[in-house]
Amino acid sequence: MSELQQWAEGRSNIIPSRDERQHQKAVSKLVRDTRLTGLRVDAEAALTGKIMERAVDIDNYRKQLANGDPVLDAVLTRIEVGFVAKVERIQHNFGSEFPL
C-alpha cells in the first residue's frame, strides 16, 4: 500500500470517529475533483488536437486554391487567419486556462 493510500484510508477503529468520517468525505471529494480535472484536461487536449488538424487542412486547402497566385493567396490567408482567431476564442471559452 502506498503512503498516499495510507493517508486516504486513515482508519483506526471499526466505528469511525467524526474526524475520520470528515477525512473520508474530504478524500472522496478530492478523488472526484481530480477525476473531473483529468477529464477536463483530456477534453481540452482533444479539442486542441481537432483545432490543429482543421487548421492544417484549411492551410493546405488555401494553398491548393491559390495555386501560386500571390493576390489570391493573400485574400485566402486573411480568411484563414479569421478562422484561427475564431477557434482560439472557442478554445478559450471552452475553459482554457492558457492566455491567448
Side-chain angles (χ1 to χ4, degrees), residues 2-58:
S2 75
E3 186 177 2
L4 184 58
Q5 287 172 317
Q6 289 174 353
W7 290 344
E9 284 298 316
R11 291 194 176 176
S12 60
N13 299 322
I14 294 174
I15 300 174
S17 69
R18 181 173 184 236
D19 286 344
E20 288 171 330
R21 286 192 309 272
Q22 287 177 339
H23 173 78
Q24 201 56 37
K25 186 176 178 181
V27 167
S28 294
K29 182 180 181 333
L30 178 61
V31 169
R32 284 191 312 274
D33 291 349
T34 301
R35 287 180 179 157
L36 182 58
T37 299
L39 181 60
R40 286 180 177 151
V41 167
D42 289 346
E44 184 149 353
L47 176 63
T48 300
K50 184 65 172 179
I51 289 169
M52 290 189 300
E53 289 171 3
R54 295 302 294 145
V56 168
D57 292 344
I58 288 172

